Amino acid sequence: MKSCYCYLLALLLVTACSGNGRSVKNEFRGKLVATKQLVETGEKKFRLDTDTKVKPPYIQIYTDDAGDCLLTFLNNRKNAIYFYRYSDTTYLKQIAFEREGADAIMSAGAYYVKSPDSIYVFNRPLIEIALADSTGRVHNRVTLLDKEDKEWALHNPQYLFSPVVPLMLIENHLILPGMSPFPENLADRENFRFTACIDLATNKAEYHHLYPEELFGNGYNWGGDLILQPYPAISLEGKMVHSFTCSHDLYISDWKNDAETKVYGGGNTAGTIRSIDHDAKGTPDELVYACYMQQDLYAALIYDPFRKVYYRYLQRGLPDADLKTPLDSKPLTIIVMDDQFRYLGETEIGTGQEWNWTNSFVTAEGLNIEHIGDEPEDDDFLTFGLFNLKDL
């Protein structure tokens, strides 16, 4: 009986992403010519205190009034933002937030430092934005949660912020990129907008950006939050560019409306991506995990204004993956495009066990990606590998 069960489970995993669902083919697979590659050119190491762990949940690069580039990151154990000078990795200060009282931020999930005394903090439990100053005092709050609406989560975005899904500021609007955590929400795709935009002058929120119909219409099921997270970037022209995990294309729109255009943004080695051949409601976890692990899926999109290129992350599929295969074992390839989305090349850098790719950002020194060491002393430093372009 046990061997029969194992056989049926293996068969389930193999057939999870086949059948009558949506197939997204890579029309340029094997046809693209690379002219550049990414090479690791150095590293940056920031010493941590004993209360701080590696893999901070949120990072923002901020330029202060003196023109210094600062690395800031969130320590969720202390509910505090840490500040370091990026150039020489010197620790500067921290801003800690109270968890109770008039200035309470119960659990900071993300933030945007606009100026020393205008720090917009996402208070995760209450799904609100709090405006705080450099002492941690809160001056204003904007809530996105309607406690009276018992089905609020079914028609409003949820937020899993990270350095590659960041809070952004455009035309005095704070942009909160969100997602649908439930596949069944997209049965009403035309009415589900995943980006919240808060007008900082009026404290009013509007919602924009639809999941593309060609990918998410007709009941196509791509699984849970591992696949439903859109990854945003801001172009040099101030446009929103979205990378969807299940598309070789990129989708471009204004930040304040839903209309979109599409450009190719895929890789030379990426294969066909298939949805789950199962009703969205009640999809077994085994199917969701198999579809995520076994096939090529895209992730973060980062615009580099210093080199005027885009980096798009591709997590390579592991065809033999099963339920015991670690989530972070997928190989990571970085595709590079110029500012007109023309393909320049792609480079495989390792796996998610070596590179915490969600902690990625750009500086004048290169593309920074958090490196995960395997020695005890590595936990004493927040370490970033620096990547730069090299002509082939």
Side-chain angles (χ1 to χ4, degrees):
M1 177 65 72
K2 183 177 180 180
S3 61
C4 180
Y5 171 79
C6 292
Y7 170 77
L8 291 174
L9 178 58
L11 182 63
L12 177 67
L13 292 171
V14 168
T15 60
C17 297
S18 62
N20 298 320
R22 177 78 161 93
S23 293
V24 182
K25 295 182 179 180
N26 183 1
E27 59 181 316
F28 293 104
R29 184 180 188 184
K31 301 176 183 178
L32 302 170
V33 178
T35 59
K36 296 183 182 294
Q37 66 176 343
L38 279 172
V39 295
E40 190 175 0
T41 55
E43 68 176 13
K44 304 286 287 193
K45 297 174 73 74
F46 300 82
R47 179 171 285 279
L48 302 175
D49 62 29
T50 56
D51 294 317
T52 307
K53 293 184 177 182
V54 298
K55 293 186 177 182
Y58 197 82
I59 294 171
Q60 182 193 348
I61 291 293
Y62 167 69
T63 302
D64 67 13
D65 293 339
D68 287 333
C69 177
L70 306 184
L71 171 78
T72 73
F73 64 81
L74 182 64
N75 180 338
N76 51 7
R77 295 174 66 188
K78 296 186 68 176
N79 210 32
I81 301 173
Y82 281 55
F83 290 73
Y84 288 73
R85 187 162 51 241
Y86 178 83
S87 60
D88 60 9
T89 71
T90 300
Y91 168 79
L92 300 175
K93 66 175 183 178
Q94 61 178 278
I95 301 173
F97 301 103
E98 299 291 339
R99 297 186 189 271
E100 298 178 349
D103 295 316
I105 294 175
M106 297 169 63
S107 178
Y111 58 88
Y112 185 88
V113 181
K114 182 181 178 183
S115 69
D117 285 316
S118 293
I119 303 172
Y120 295 91
V121 184
F122 181 68
N123 188 7
R124 186 179 298 281
L126 300 182
I127 312 182
E128 69 174 12
I129 292 291
L131 173 60
D133 62 23
S134 58
T135 69
R137 182 183 177 188
V138 173
H139 296 267
N140 188 41
R141 300 178 189 269
V142 179
T143 183
L144 298 172
L145 175 64
D146 182 356
K147 295 181 180 179
E148 302 299 320
D149 185 353
K150 302 301 182 182
E151 296 186 342
W152 180 88
L154 297 180
H155 47 259
N156 283 277
Q158 307 298 300
Y159 305 98
L160 297 177
F161 295 116
S162 72
V164 295
V165 187
L167 295 173
M168 298 175 284
L169 187 68
I170 307 176
E171 297 180 16
N172 205 39
H173 285 73
L174 191 66
I175 310 299
L176 285 69
M179 60 169 293
S180 169
F182 310 115
E184 55 267 31
N185 285 14
L186 298 184
D188 190 26
R189 184 199 63 84
E190 298 87 350
N191 294 311
F192 189 97
R193 288 165 173 80
F194 57 79
T195 305
C197 306
I198 299 176
D199 186 335
L200 298 182
T202 65
N203 294 328
K204 301 296 183 182
E206 297 181 347
Y207 294 86
H208 303 291
H209 306 130
L210 300 168
Y211 282 91
E213 182 177 8
E214 65 194 72
L215 299 174
F216 297 94
N218 299 313
Y220 296 133
N221 177 15
W222 299 99
D225 56 7
L226 291 174
I227 298 178
L228 290 177
Q229 176 68 67
Y231 292 90
I234 303 296
S235 73
L236 189 63
E237 297 80 18
K239 299 285 188 179
M240 293 284 291
V241 187
H242 285 105
S243 168
F244 293 94
T245 56
C246 55
S247 178
H248 305 287
D249 296 321
L250 297 169
Y251 292 78
I252 305 171
S253 63
D254 288 329
W255 66 267
K256 55 187 173 183
N257 63 48
D258 304 327
E260 61 190 24
T261 58
K262 186 173 65 174
V263 297
Y264 179 75
N268 201 40
T269 58
T272 298
I273 305 171
R274 296 179 174 87
S275 67
I276 301 173
D277 190 17
H278 192 286
D279 290 338
K281 190 172 184 179
T283 304
D285 292 341
E286 293 88 347
L287 294 184
V288 174
Y289 199 72
C291 269
Y292 179 78
M293 294 300 298
Q294 292 180 355
Q295 60 182 338
D296 298 337
L297 293 171
Y298 294 93
L301 179 69
I302 302 170
Y303 180 65
D304 183 343
F306 300 98
R307 284 152 282 271
K308 296 185 178 179
V309 297
Y310 290 92
Y311 308 108
R312 192 183 191 194
Y313 289 14
L314 172 68
Q315 296 187 83
R316 303 305 307 276
L318 298 172
D320 297 326
D322 59 24
L323 293 175
K324 295 182 180 179
T325 306
L327 187 67
D328 57 5
S329 59
K330 298 186 74 172
L332 182 66
T333 291
I334 302 177
I335 301 161
V336 184
M337 296 166 279
D338 69 14
D339 57 3
Q340 299 301 308
F341 304 102
R342 291 181 290 249
Y343 177 85
L344 297 177
E346 58 191 84
T347 304
E348 185 173 313
I349 66 168
T351 73
Q353 294 174 345
E354 304 165 72
W355 299 100
N356 181 26
W357 60 267
T358 59
N359 279 353
S360 297
F361 55 88
V362 293
T363 64
E365 295 188 24
L367 172 64
N368 294 244
I369 309 175
E370 185 182 5
H371 184 257
I372 306 301
D374 53 12
E375 300 295 334
E377 58 268 23
D378 292 327
D379 291 340
D380 296 333
F381 294 89
L382 180 59
T383 303
F384 297 94
L386 293 172
F387 291 83
N388 280 279
L389 290 171
K390 177 183 177 181
D391 292 334
L392 290 173

